[in-house]
Amino acid sequence: MSVFQAPSLESLVSELTKLPGVGKKSAMRIAFHLLRSPREEVDSLAAYLVDVKEKIDLCTVCGNYTETEPCELCRDPRRDGRVICVVEQPSDVFLIESTGEFRGRYHVLHGALSPIEGIRPESLRIGELVARLQDGEVQEVILATNPTVEGDATAFYIGETIKERKVSVSRIARGIPMGGALEFSDQLTLARALKGRRGLE
Amino acid sequence: MSVFQAPSLESLVSELTKLPGVGKKSAMRIAFHLLRSPREEVDSLAAYLVDVKEKIDLCTVCGNYTETEPCELCRDPRRDGRVICVVEQPSDVFLIESTGEFRGRYHVLHGALSPIEGIRPESLRIGELVARLQDGEVQEVILATNPTVEGDATAFYIGETIKERKVSVSRIARGIPMGGALEFSDQLTLARALKGRRGLE
C-alpha cells in the first residue's frame, strides 16, 4: 500500500507531476486542495481541460491557436498585413501581444530546426510562410525565434529561403535584459550587446 | 478580445490560477503544454480529477481520505491501536507516514480552532476523537497540530478536553529544524528550542 492510502489520489498526483513546473510537492498540494474543494469546482476544471482541446485548433493562415478560422489576429482589419513576425510557439504570440508594441501579423513555426531531435525544415511551417509572401502584400518579416542555437539556425534558414523575395528581413535584438546588470550577463550576451550597440536616441 | 485569441484558453488559465502555487505564468505554461499534448493525455488528466472526487471519502473513524470504509490505516492490524496521532489535515497524515517513524493510528481534525475564521470546537472532529477514547484501548494521544497560534490553541483545547481520561497526552517537539542554523531561526523558535532541551543520548 502506498503512503497515500488511496490509489486514485496517487494516480492524480503522478498525472499532475507531468505538467511543466509541477514537482511532487506541488502536485500533492494541488491534489489535496482539490480534495478539499467542492465537487463542482473540480468538475468545472475537468470540463475546461476537455473544452480547450475540443474548441481550439490551429489557424490555417498563421498557425496560432484559435477557435475561429482564420484566427482573430489574421482577420483583424486594424492590424498591419505588411509586417509578419515569425515565432516558434503560440505562447510567443501571447508574449509579444502582451507588450502591446506590435501591430502586424504573426506566423507560428511550431518549433525550431534541430537536427538532433529530427526537426527539419519540412517539419516546421516554413512552406506556409513562403506562401504568405506570394502576393506581394508583405513587406517586412521579423524573425523572433529564440536566441538559441536552434532559434538562430531557424532564423538563418528562413532568411536564406526568402532572400530572393522583395521583403526586408530582420532579427529581434539580443542584449542585456532591461533591469539586468552587466555583472550577471554571460559573455555571449555581453558580446552581442556590444556588437548590437546603437546611437543614443 | 483578450491577448489569448481564444476564450476557452483564457478560461482554462484563469481556472488553473485558482490552484495553490500556480500563478498566471505557471498557469499559462501548463495551458500551452496541454494544448501541445495529445488529446488522450488531457482527457485522462480530466478523468483523474473527476475520479478522485468520486472515489475518495472521509474515513468515519479517523477522518483521513480513503477509498474504503474504514480506511486502510484504521484497519491494518499491524498498527498500534494504543497510540493516536492527532493532525489538522489529511496531508499531515501523508507527511508523517512518509517519515516511517510512526506505527500508531491517526485522527484528522480537518482544521484548527480559529475564532476569527469562525472555526469553533464543534466544527472540528474533536467529538469523534473523544469517542475513540471511550473503550480504553487508547493509551497515548500525540497532538501533532501545527506550531501556530491556531494549532497551539487546538492542542491546548484538546488537552483540556481529554485530561480526565486515562491517556498520556503529548505535543510534538518544536525547535531548530534539522540542517537549520541558529542564525536563521526566529527568536520564538530559538526560545522554544532552549526550553525543550534534552540530555545527550
Side-chain angles (χ1 to χ4, degrees):
Chain A
M1 197 190 58
S2 85
V3 277
F4 280 116
Q5 294 92 47
S8 61
L9 182 55
E10 181 140 37
S11 308
L12 177 61
V13 168
S14 106
E15 204 70 8
L16 288 170
T17 51
K18 292 182 191 165
L19 301 176
V22 180
K24 182 109 197 257
K25 255 189 165 164
S26 324
M28 277 174 2
R29 268 183 78 196
I30 293 174
F32 281 115
H33 166 88
L34 293 170
L35 277 169
R36 274 193 305 271
S37 307
R39 173 77 187 254
E40 306 77 55
E41 272 182 33
V42 179
D43 285 350
S44 120
L45 174 60
Y48 280 119
L49 286 170
V50 174
D51 215 37
V52 103
K53 291 302 268 190
E54 204 131 283
K55 289 192 181 152
I56 293 181
D57 225 319
L58 299 186
C59 170
T60 54
V61 180
C62 71
N64 192 13
Y65 291 132
T66 179
E67 292 184 14
T68 58
E69 174 54 36
C71 76
E72 306 226 21
L73 291 172
C74 286
R75 261 191 335 207
D76 189 343
R78 289 161 307 174
R79 298 197 72 111
D80 188 351
R82 292 168 302 175
V83 192
I84 289 183
C85 179
V86 178
V87 295
E88 293 182 21
Q89 298 295 346
S91 47
D92 299 328
V93 172
F94 163 76
L95 292 172
I96 294 174
E97 277 301 283
S98 54
T99 68
E101 288 290 319
F102 181 68
R103 299 298 302 160
R105 302 198 194 270
Y106 291 93
H107 194 82
V108 185
L109 298 170
H110 286 274
L113 293 177
S114 168
I116 295 169
E117 293 181 53
I119 304 178
R120 299 165 49 79
E122 309 85 77
S123 331
L124 304 175
R125 297 183 70 262
I126 295 175
E128 287 89 337
L129 174 64
V130 174
R132 288 178 75 182
L133 306 179
Q134 224 64 280
D135 66 4
E137 190 200 353
V138 179
Q139 284 161 29
E140 188 183 352
V141 171
I142 302 170
L143 299 168
T145 53
N146 289 323
T148 57
V149 174
E150 292 81 9
D152 280 343
T154 309
F156 179 79
Y157 179 87
I158 294 176
E160 284 297 301
T161 308
I162 63 179
K163 73 174 171 196
E164 307 292 305
R165 313 259 160 188
K166 274 188 210 125
V167 288
S168 90
V169 181
S170 60
R171 182 89 176 93
I172 47 161
R174 267 78 58 91
I176 316 289
M178 292 293 285
L182 264 63
E183 191 182 350
F184 302 121
S185 291
D186 59 291
Q187 292 175 323
L188 220 64
T189 301
L190 203 51
R192 276 288 189 175
L194 284 168
K195 213 169 158 187
R197 68 190 179 278
R198 296 176 58 174
L200 288 179
E201 277 146 18
Chain B
M1 193 191 60
S2 84
V3 276
F4 280 115
Q5 294 92 48
S8 60
L9 182 55
E10 182 140 36
S11 308
L12 177 61
V13 168
S14 106
E15 204 70 7
L16 288 170
T17 51
K18 292 182 190 165
L19 301 176
V22 179
K24 183 109 196 259
K25 253 189 165 163
S26 325
M28 277 174 3
R29 267 183 80 195
I30 293 174
F32 281 116
H33 166 87
L34 293 171
L35 277 168
R36 275 194 304 271
S37 306
R39 173 77 188 255
E40 306 76 56
E41 272 181 34
V42 180
D43 285 350
S44 123
L45 174 59
Y48 280 118
L49 287 170
V50 173
D51 215 37
V52 103
K53 291 302 267 190
E54 203 131 282
K55 289 191 181 154
I56 292 181
D57 225 319
L58 299 186
C59 170
T60 54
V61 180
C62 72
N64 192 13
Y65 291 131
T66 179
E67 292 184 16
T68 60
E69 175 53 37
C71 77
E72 307 226 21
L73 291 172
C74 285
R75 260 187 341 203
D76 189 343
R78 288 162 307 174
R79 299 197 72 110
D80 188 350
R82 293 168 302 176
V83 192
I84 290 182
C85 179
V86 179
V87 295
E88 293 182 20
Q89 297 296 346
S91 47
D92 299 329
V93 172
F94 163 75
L95 291 172
I96 294 174
E97 277 301 284
S98 55
T99 69
E101 287 291 318
F102 182 69
R103 298 300 300 161
R105 302 199 195 270
Y106 291 93
H107 193 82
V108 185
L109 299 171
H110 287 273
L113 294 177
S114 168
I116 294 169
E117 292 181 54
I119 305 180
R120 300 165 48 79
E122 310 84 75
S123 331
L124 303 175
R125 297 181 71 260
I126 294 175
E128 287 89 336
L129 174 64
V130 174
R132 287 178 76 181
L133 306 179
Q134 224 64 280
D135 67 4
E137 190 200 352
V138 178
Q139 285 160 28
E140 189 183 351
V141 171
I142 301 170
L143 299 168
T145 52
N146 289 324
T148 56
V149 175
E150 292 81 8
D152 280 343
T154 309
F156 180 78
Y157 179 88
I158 294 176
E160 285 295 303
T161 307
I162 64 178
K163 73 175 171 194
E164 308 291 305
R165 313 260 160 188
K166 275 191 208 119
V167 288
S168 90
V169 181
S170 61
R171 182 90 174 91
I172 47 161
R174 268 77 57 93
I176 316 289
M178 292 292 285
L182 264 63
E183 191 181 351
F184 302 121
S185 292
D186 58 291
Q187 291 176 322
L188 219 64
T189 301
L190 203 50
R192 275 288 188 175
L194 284 169
K195 213 168 157 187
R197 67 191 179 279
R198 298 175 56 173
L200 289 177
E201 278 145 16

